[in-house]
Amino acid sequence: MATVDECRQALRDLADRLERNAETVRDRVDLDRTLACRVTDLETAFHGRITGGRLVELADGDDPKAKIAMSTTSDDLVALVRGDLDVTRAVASKRVSIKANPFDLMKLRKLL
């Protein structure tokens, strides 16, 4: 099981990767939504905002009103960010749950 710090670092790594790719995806992904990432096995959460192809305002704690909510285990979160776990397969196998409107899901897939 990954630790809270490892999960936090994984999300920071994701934010850094999105920042590096923001110029490329900004025109393809017009998305400005709040995001909650709930880590079920650690009973913790993180939240932020996806805007302009970037993940910004990343902080500890849940956002119950987030427009995009992802729930997964700590190990699966770390594997997703590392690229060791395909998001489509993870959702299909119910290792990851993402709640969002269908249009946001399509745009989110382009970012990941």
Side-chain angles (χ1 to χ4, degrees), residues 26-47:
R26 184 184 323 218
D27 294 335
R28 294 185 304 137
V29 181
D30 180 27
L31 187 64
D32 186 6
R33 299 286 185 270
T34 52
L35 168 75
C37 178
R38 298 168 184 139
V39 185
T40 56
D41 58 331
L42 298 177
E43 297 182 3
T44 192
F46 304 93
H47 67 276

Side-chain angles (χ1 to χ4, degrees), residues 81-101:
V81 172
R82 270 195 244 149
D84 297 336
L85 180 62
D86 178 72
V87 69
T88 303
R89 288 188 180 123
V91 169
S93 66
K94 299 187 184 202
R95 290 174 68 179
V96 174
S97 168
I98 301 176
K99 294 182 181 174
N101 80 47

Side-chain angles (χ1 to χ4, degrees), residues 8-27:
R8 185 181 299 114
Q9 186 59 50
L11 289 171
R12 287 180 185 150
D13 292 347
L14 176 61
D16 290 344
R17 187 171 71 225
L18 293 177
E19 180 67 33
R20 288 190 302 272
N21 297 329
E23 294 304 318
T24 306
V25 299
R26 184 184 323 218
D27 294 335

